[in-house]
Amino acid sequence: VGEPPDGIVKLQSAEGEVFEVRAALLWASSLIRSVVADAGLDEEIPLPKASTETVAFFLRLCDPSRQAVVGLGLHDISEEEFGGLIWLAKLLDMQRVFCQPVAHLVNDEFPDVHVGIPTELQMLLVRHASDTLQSAALCHILRMVVRAPMSKMYASGIVLAITPLIGSPDENVRAAAFEALMHFRVVEAKLVLLEHRDFGARANANRFLREATPSEETVGAVLQLAANHHSFPVQEAAAKALGGIASVGHELAVQTLADLLADEAREVREAASGALRDIGGTDDPVVIAAVIRQALSEDWPVRSAALVVLAAIAPSKRELVEDLATAMQNGGATMAKMAAARVLQSMRSVKELRDSTQRDCEEQQDDIAGAHGSPPSSLAGPRWGDE
């Protein structure tokens, strides 16, 4: 921002009234800095839609000495006046400067803050003055904000403001922020919850992300959590989410999940295995190559996790999978033998199911043919060449 000039800035209200204000008081405004840089201090800066009364009240609130607001209460400011003040704060890009004194007024009047605070001001206070509000007042406003109707775009902005409060030293603020993030049904909130220490929060985020239509940016964010997060429960949750949000054959997701098959945490390996079965497709050579790399590992838990995936996604490689599982079953530790036996059993179960399905289909075809008067093949008359 730089140091403000030692001079006066002139603001002109909608009615044409000119206010001469020290530049230092308004230097947080990007609009003021831009006009002064282009035209100097002598230029009168018009403030459309801002009445003379609103400009005077705004300057009174923003006085850093706070002397001008002594004795002022929230009940002294109508909702219409707040609307004008908020408009002007946004016009000047001085929301934080405006919200600081309002936060002090809230602190002074808590717990009666529910009187006279418009919804938009509640949101601004969360975004720009959460560090000024007292703990109890902030928690109260957070609970009011989540009940307010708002667009997804605005909710996303609120979530960005609430997210740092998850790490607040105050337990009550952390709890209120957590409840708010659980409430908001926007991707930004669920990405935060996906790396929360609470299992229920991660499960909530996972369900939402699977039901939503995530963008490639969201998939990328989840990939980063799966690949790089320091906590294995978060990696597990992210891997599960990828199984629901990444497209089938998504190259980067496949590579990341294949790498996670070698993770030292069993929960992460199992989550990666499940996700690969969801997005691995059928006989995709790229996916198969990524998984076979782990199936050849000397570490039997890694090999076992990879074989489970191969058995599901590579029916054309059935013999290879059986050979690898048999080799693992014939050597190594007892746990490795048990894991190999489970893989082979699952493959036999799948084969039996397919064979049973095929027999059922053939019997249905015979029944249909019989219903149309065609005798079963065993009773049919001689075909040409049989005589």
Side-chain angles (χ1 to χ4, degrees), residues 320-343:
L320 171 63
V321 177
E322 288 180 340
D323 289 345
L324 290 171
T326 302
M328 189 168 71
Q329 190 177 33
N330 293 335
T334 301
M335 294 297 293
K337 294 178 180 180
M338 293 173 62
R342 285 194 296 270
V343 172

Side-chain angles (χ1 to χ4, degrees), residues 57 60-61 68-77 105 108-109:
F57 205 160
R60 179 185 174 192
L61 280 172
V69 294
V70 171
L72 180 66
L74 290 173
H75 59 277
D76 298 318
I77 309 174
L105 294 179
D108 293 342
E109 297 193 18

